Amino acid sequence: AFLGDSLTDGYDLAKYYPQYVTANRGIGGDTTYDLQGRLQTSVYDLKPQVAVMLIGANNPETMLENYEEILIGLRDNLPETKVVLLSMTAMGGDVWGKWNAQACYNNVSIKMLAEKYGFTYVDLFTPLFDVTTGEVREGYTVDGGHFTHEGYVVVTEQITPVLK
């Protein structure tokens, strides 16, 4: 089960993970608070072998306020499920690019929480980031935030080894 916002919602899981039975539980516009409110129907009832979570782009300044509560819920309600926490992604442009520093800060916290709860952390920021521009690499997004096919290929390359 892949949980998240529009980045997950727009992720054609059947295309990128044909070897797995997947469930896309991404909803465009969702914040960490929205996701927390739908965990029962989106993931607990599903009882997946693996839950992959990418959330926070719609509330980067407040996402850490309840992120750990989401993790506690996953741990307590799905003790047999392997949980994979994806970092926030690199972003660009006038709308999204201003959040890269916040994303880096949040990613440190996400990684620490993954270690605390024994979950797997996957860094998506680094392979998407262009150090020469300080933004997401050109061609990886349609608007600085939402991925193109090329962007999803990079994301898939980071996640696949963990799923194996």
Side-chain angles (χ1 to χ4, degrees):
F2 283 68
L3 312 169
D5 50 32
S6 59
L7 296 177
T8 302
D9 192 17
Y11 201 178
D12 184 348
L13 299 175
K15 175 180 177 179
Y16 295 102
Y17 300 98
Q19 69 274 41
Y20 299 112
V21 175
T22 57
N24 190 320
R25 297 298 193 249
I27 296 178
D30 263 12
T31 66
T32 54
Y33 297 99
D34 298 318
L35 176 62
Q36 186 177 17
R38 64 179 173 86
L39 286 172
Q40 185 68 49
T41 55
S42 287
V43 68
Y44 299 164
D45 291 347
L46 196 59
K47 295 180 177 53
Q49 289 181 326
V50 180
V52 180
M53 186 170 78
L54 173 58
I55 193 72
N58 293 314
N59 66 318
E61 291 181 301
T62 60
M63 69 171 281
L64 295 174
E65 292 173 5
N66 72 321
Y67 195 90
E68 188 169 10
E69 292 174 34
I70 294 169
L71 303 186
I72 292 168
L74 292 170
R75 180 199 65 193
D76 292 351
N77 289 280
L78 299 169
E80 303 301 315
T81 297
K82 290 179 176 41
V83 177
V84 178
L85 303 180
L86 304 180
S87 74
M88 291 187 71
T89 65
M91 296 167 268
D94 295 338
V95 175
W96 299 100
K98 64 184 176 188
W99 295 112
N100 281 326
Q102 183 72 50
C104 289
Y105 174 84
N106 291 352
N107 288 343
V108 171
S109 296
I110 294 168
K111 185 175 184 181
M112 291 172 59
L113 288 167
E115 291 170 4
K116 178 178 179 178
Y117 290 98
F119 297 158
T120 301
Y121 173 81
V122 175
D123 174 20
L124 298 180
F125 190 94
T126 303
L128 295 167
F129 189 70
D130 184 341
V131 295
T132 60
T133 64
E135 294 190 342
V136 66
R137 292 183 185 277
E138 190 172 329
Y140 286 175
T141 69
V142 295
D143 60 2
H146 297 92
F147 296 125
T148 60
H149 166 70
E150 291 77 16
Y152 279 118
V153 167
V154 172
V155 168
T156 303
E157 288 170 349
Q158 305 311 304
I159 298 170
T160 298
V162 173
L163 296 180
K164 288 181 179 177

